[in-house]
Amino acid sequence: MPTEVALLESRALRVEQMGRVDVLDKVKSLVMLPDGIHVRTEDVARYFEVSTATVRRLIDRHRGELTENGMRVLRGAELQSFHSDMMSLWGDEGAESYPQAAARLRVHTRRAVLNIAMLLRDSDIARCVRTYLLDAERDLRAGYASLEHRVTRVESCLAGVGSALQELGPVLDRMSHRLDSLDRRLDATHQVVGAMSVRLGHVAEDIVRIDGRMDELARNLKDLNRRRDKRR
């Protein structure tokens, strides 16, 4: 688990935390320029409640690292274009109060401000930011440990399932054979039922013929009785 001293001393550890810019506003509201992207060195100092000179000395010592994380110095035409954009975003009410540098302006992104928070030793605000980062890292590692424990439990359960499935294999094989035998017996039964259905059909036809013959016999008997009655 990294410590605050390790975070102050290790650039590699700082790189791992660069995505956590949300921590800045959890500690204290960071007032940005109108574009919502940049902040001046003076505003960085105001955020960390230190002097501008303190921030500038830190910048001199870690210029390369801070530049990689969004710090840049605007000059000439780029500076004029930046001022024009800021005053346009600020609107009529704030344009007059917008501070403009004569020759150059150093601006920082949130990543650069977070980078400064992980480098600035003599600031209670910076210490709070580092505490938030380390607490989040601790919670994340605890979450990983809990997840790893649960995965281990699942793996142990799966091992038991594997052995159970191995034991179940022969049982399933026997059941499969019995089901196959049952299917064959059902097929034979269907054939017998089919044959019986055909025979019943034939019997029904025979019954119809017998009924016809019985009706004819009955008519003949009636005729015979009528003729006998006439003779009398």
Side-chain angles (χ1 to χ4, degrees):
M1 177 67 197
T3 63
E4 183 178 0
V5 174
L7 196 60
L8 288 165
E9 300 295 336
S10 173
R11 183 170 179 175
L13 289 178
R14 293 194 292 272
V15 169
E16 292 179 1
Q17 302 294 333
M18 277 304 162
R20 298 297 315 281
V21 294
D22 58 300
V23 171
L24 295 171
D25 288 318
K26 290 181 179 180
V27 175
K28 182 182 177 181
S29 178
L30 178 62
V31 179
M32 310 296 293
L33 288 174
D35 63 353
I37 299 173
H38 298 95
V39 61
R40 301 173 306 149
T41 302
E42 292 82 355
D43 298 322
V44 174
R46 189 174 297 110
Y47 175 82
F48 289 112
E49 299 177 2
V50 296
S51 67
T52 303
T54 298
V55 176
R56 286 173 177 165
R57 286 194 296 270
L58 185 142
I59 290 172
D60 289 339
R61 293 195 301 271
H62 302 278
R63 188 180 305 274
E65 182 177 345
L66 293 170
T67 300
E68 289 180 4
N69 286 300
M71 184 190 75
R72 59 185 178 134
V73 178
L74 306 176
R75 297 183 178 85
E78 186 179 18
L79 178 58
Q80 292 180 2
S81 176
F82 184 83
H83 282 324
S84 176
D85 291 341
M86 292 304 103
M87 286 188 289
S88 176
L89 291 170
W90 206 298
D92 295 336
E93 295 181 0
E96 295 181 357
S97 60
Y98 173 71
Q100 298 187 32
R104 67 175 190 169
L105 176 66
R106 179 180 283 114
V107 292
H108 311 261
T109 62
R110 286 180 178 271
R111 286 175 63 92
V113 176
L114 181 61
N115 199 163
I116 292 173
M118 290 186 282
L119 291 167
L120 190 59
R121 297 174 182 270
D122 300 325
S123 166
D124 290 337
I125 301 299
R127 291 191 190 96
C128 287
V129 172
R130 292 193 291 271
T131 298
Y132 264 97
L133 290 173
L134 294 172
D135 288 345
E137 179 75 12
R138 187 179 299 108
D139 292 342
L140 184 61
R141 288 177 182 270
Y144 283 150
S146 176
L147 178 60
E148 183 178 2
H149 177 66
R150 282 182 287 174
V151 169
T152 301
R153 290 181 58 187
V154 170
E155 288 177 344
S156 63
C157 292
L158 289 176
V161 170
S163 60
L165 289 176
Q166 289 178 352
E167 296 175 359
L168 188 60
V171 176
L172 292 175
D173 188 53
R174 290 194 298 272
M175 290 180 64
S176 177
H177 287 303
R178 293 180 64 183
L179 289 173
D180 290 340
S181 176
L182 181 60
D183 284 340
R184 290 192 294 270
R185 292 173 63 184
L186 286 174
D187 288 339
T189 302
H190 289 159
Q191 292 175 3
V192 172
V193 170
M196 291 177 64
S197 177
V198 172
R199 293 181 64 184
L200 287 173
H202 293 161
V203 169
E205 293 174 356
D206 292 340
I207 291 173
V208 170
R209 287 195 295 271
I210 291 172
D211 286 342
R213 294 179 65 182
M214 292 295 291
D215 291 339
E216 184 180 357
L217 180 59
R219 286 192 298 269
N220 292 335
L221 289 173
K222 288 180 180 180
D223 291 340
L224 181 60
N225 289 331
R226 283 196 298 270
R227 287 195 295 269
R228 185 177 298 170
D229 291 339
K230 288 179 180 180
R231 289 175 185 174
R232 292 177 181 174

